[in-house]
Amino acid sequence: MSDPDPNDTFAQARARHDELARRLRDARYRYDVLSAPPMTDAEYDARFRELEALEAAHPELVTASSPTQRVGSPPAGAFPPFTHLQPMLSLDNAFSSEELAAWAQRVARRLAAATGAAADEEQAQAADAPPMGYVCELKIDGVAINLVYRDGVLATAATRGNGEVGEDVTAQVLTIDDIPYRLTVEDPPAVLEVRGEVYYPLADFDAMNAERIEQGEAAFMNPRNAASGALRQKDPEVTRQRPLAVWCHGIGQLEGLAFDRHAQALDWLDAAGLPVAPETEVVHDLDAISVFVQRATERRHDVGYEIDGVVVKVDDLRQRELLGFTARAPRWAIAYKLPPVEQQTRLRAIEVNVGRTGKATPYAVLDPVLVAGTTITYATLHNELQVQAKDVRVGDTVIVRRAGDVIPEVVGPVLAERPEHAEPWSMPADCPFCGEPLVRPEGEANHLCENVDCPNRLRESLTHLAGRGALDIEGLGEQTVDLLLAEGLVADLADIFRLHEHREALLGLEKWGAKRVDNLLAGIEAGRTRPLDRVLVALNIRHLGPTYAKLLARALPSLQAIRDADPETLEAIDGIGPIIARAVHSWFATPRNAQLVDDLVALGVTADAEVAPGDADVDPDLLAGWTVVVTGTLEGFTREEAKEALEVRGAKVTGSVSGRTSLVVAGADPGSKRDKAASLGVPIADEAGLRRLLEHGELLDVPAGDRESP
Ligand code: IVH
């Protein structure tokens, strides 16, 4: 935010005000109604603050139609209008702990004034006042929803609209599993308005987008827009296909029931069968609020849905009444904003990387920008179809997103800021590393460099071959690979197993003593004998990750047998589809690859060892129909291994807990997912339970009747 320049003439201020108001209104409409905002939330917040500053300097500019006085957008007519029983307001924001403290002080002052005590916080505290109670909640980045229950039955569900009148999306909301049609309490109130946020669970969002990207379809910008788009489908059957979920965080109109405190109301909603986020805490001072904010910042990517802040609310409902509202927000609550996961920056160039399987991936070179605490200079653009679907052009201002451990990506351009001569982008004809043509196989979204000896493919293949999931060669990391390539000591994958012949040359490397050389050679020696599935992974075959490599190795237990198999034989293996069957067959059929396998075998790479122990004879349908979430640290499995062990038995493993989850496996330090499972009544198993499940296909220790196998 910048203060308005005091030299600004009023006319200038008004012109800027009009411009900002117009852009903010347009952005708001595109956000609420089209599910496709033209700028990031961070940019919106910054412009909004600029508008507030202008209005503070020139109060004449405040009109009833200013975005600072309004909530949301008027209903667009796609759905029947619904007048909320009580208005749905917005929240004021705080962007620093100072602003948060200032809010708490304003609250204390107003309460003191309203109750006739001294208008000084300390004196008010001293005068035997009970300690201030605040409820801290996560601020869910979803779509606001109002659920009206009459006599315990869902009568209407509506979007926020302009805060007074929203859109009736009852049919769409009824497809969401989390939302009860009937409340589960004995004596439901005559009228109950529940306020909540509809969201798209992150794991589902990532999976959906990965699939769309693989298919060359337009990816969704972010989970919020995906949720908004899914909720605003005219045909509720389309909404039903999307895994939407809800968290309830408040009450509007309430008749036939009363509460003293917000925390009580949340507990009651929970008991009534409504989903209430477990990460909610009652605290009594600013320090405790800071601790909550700190924890939310650290865990923001573990909760399974996107959050953009922490909402702090006065707990005592009588105090809330005394505090009241401004035109657009309650005075009794504030949203503390977390660093945004999306930012705008300039796209300097689009370059292409070629990975270990030959896949050519365009990526953005950006003006460095801070996104959720990390400076981003590169971001993936996935493939040519994605670049074209998003219409991203060099010179554009683009929106960059980095959510958790997902690699940063460019989600789209800010069209209003496109330079005049920006040209659409297309994939270069030739590989930037070896000059061979890039080809796009029929029906695929990705371009490939088919040159097995392409220097960049080789570099990435070597690193992968040495990696944990493949031959696990200690001492052979990315930098060593680069050095060996630069020194001409390796020219293909098999050369790794010839390195012992070059001990002298290795000893001659700068800063390489005998110890380091011997460690590397010992690491390579150990890598010579690995189970077949890991050898398969090491070969860098397209689409062949560890799960499928295990299925293959189990069905055809020698490298020769896999090599000899035709696509039909491969496809007949349980769990192997046509894409993998074709990829495996064509890899072995390529003469250069066949030569490589011959060399590796001749060099003693054991290619017919057994599959990793304990995994033989797995029934691929043992856990069909199970949806499992794994959380916390397990002793005998990495998270990946547990996931894989479940998946090869037919279970679906997801990242977030919902009413559809069959089981949560909780290791040490499980965090919020375990709490959520407990609050939803989803069974929770420990590591021993997981082992029993993997062996028997059922949870033997859960009392009968508590849960049946799904
Ligand atoms: S309380 C009177 N609590 O954020 C308004 N809102 O930016 C009370 N939101 O309109 C809102 N998580 O749609 C509240 N835990 C939470 C929330 C939350 C997300 C949304 C809500 C609100 C918007 C304001």
Side-chain angles (χ1 to χ4, degrees), residues 147 178-180 245-249 269-270 273-277 676 680:
L147 307 170
D178 277 4
I179 298 184
V246 177
W247 288 128
C248 299
H249 53 62
L269 290 176
D270 185 42
L274 287 153
V276 176
K676 181 164 180 196
L680 291 176

Side-chain angles (χ1 to χ4, degrees), residues 14 49 112 124 142 269 363 397 405 477 511 695 706:
R14 183 158 62 195
R49 291 222 136 187
L269 290 176
Y363 64 94
T397 295
D405 47 11
K511 293 198 212 136
E695 193 173 340
D706 246 21

Side-chain angles (χ1 to χ4, degrees), residues 89-91 137-140 144 160 197 249 311 313 330:
L89 295 181
S90 190
L91 286 171
E137 297 171 13
L138 298 183
K139 185 172 187 304
I140 301 117
R160 182 167 62 177
E197 203 80 0
H249 53 62
V311 186
K313 304 173 179 178

Side-chain angles (χ1 to χ4, degrees), residues 241-276:
Q241 307 306 317
R242 313 282 161 79
L244 296 181
V246 177
W247 288 128
C248 299
H249 53 62
I251 289 180
Q253 181 86 345
L254 179 61
E255 294 170 23
L257 186 67
F259 300 105
D260 296 328
R261 295 188 303 110
H262 176 61
Q264 241 174 12
L266 291 181
D267 285 344
W268 185 89
L269 290 176
D270 185 42
L274 287 153
V276 176

Side-chain angles (χ1 to χ4, degrees), residues 11 85 119 206 228 234 268 271 328 341 343 500 507 562 611 695:
L85 309 185
D206 291 338
S228 171
K234 277 305 256 182
W268 185 89
R328 58 183 293 281
V341 294
Q343 286 287 17
H500 60 277
L507 284 170
I562 295 172
V611 182
E695 193 173 340

